[in-house]
Amino acid sequence: MGKAAVKIKIMPDSPDADLDAIESVVKKEIEAVEGRIAKIEREPIAFGLNAIFIIFAWDEDADRDALEEKIRALEHVNSADIIDFRRAFG
């Protein structure tokens, strides 16, 4: 059982969505499944819409689909997809 470096992309449902609130709730969801947040970034997409990228360490055997579904179900979240998942060393 090793650790993985995970990067998840979260798209809000509108440009007016409160990104700070979304980040806060997602951080709690990740920490609830024993993930350790390393970095949070925002990237402009188009027309004022920004994506949230969260990079965190997590057990490589954990249920990725369940976490994505939990985050997708959050208020003001349009989509959440793990875009990078790789074994971490060190």
Side-chain angles (χ1 to χ4, degrees), residues 6-89:
V6 182
K7 184 174 186 178
I8 189 165
K9 178 181 181 182
I10 302 157
M11 292 296 297
D13 60 2
S14 81
D16 300 323
D18 183 353
L19 299 182
D20 292 329
I22 293 171
E23 284 179 15
S24 176
V25 174
V26 171
K27 282 172 59 175
K28 289 177 186 171
E29 290 291 339
I30 291 171
E31 290 167 353
V33 293
E34 299 180 10
R36 291 185 38 207
I37 306 289
K39 188 175 187 181
I40 298 176
E41 302 172 328
R42 293 182 186 178
E43 181 179 303
I45 302 299
F47 308 108
L49 189 65
N50 290 292
I52 301 169
F53 292 90
I54 300 179
I55 301 167
F56 60 100
W58 197 28
D59 177 17
E60 70 180 359
D61 296 326
D63 187 357
R64 294 174 275 211
D65 294 332
L67 179 62
E68 284 178 328
E69 288 302 318
K70 275 185 172 180
I71 295 171
R72 284 184 192 126
L74 296 173
E75 187 175 9
H76 301 297
V77 172
N78 183 49
S79 67
D81 298 297
I82 292 175
I83 59 171
D84 193 9
F85 189 94
R86 60 182 78 192
R87 178 174 268 169
F89 295 97

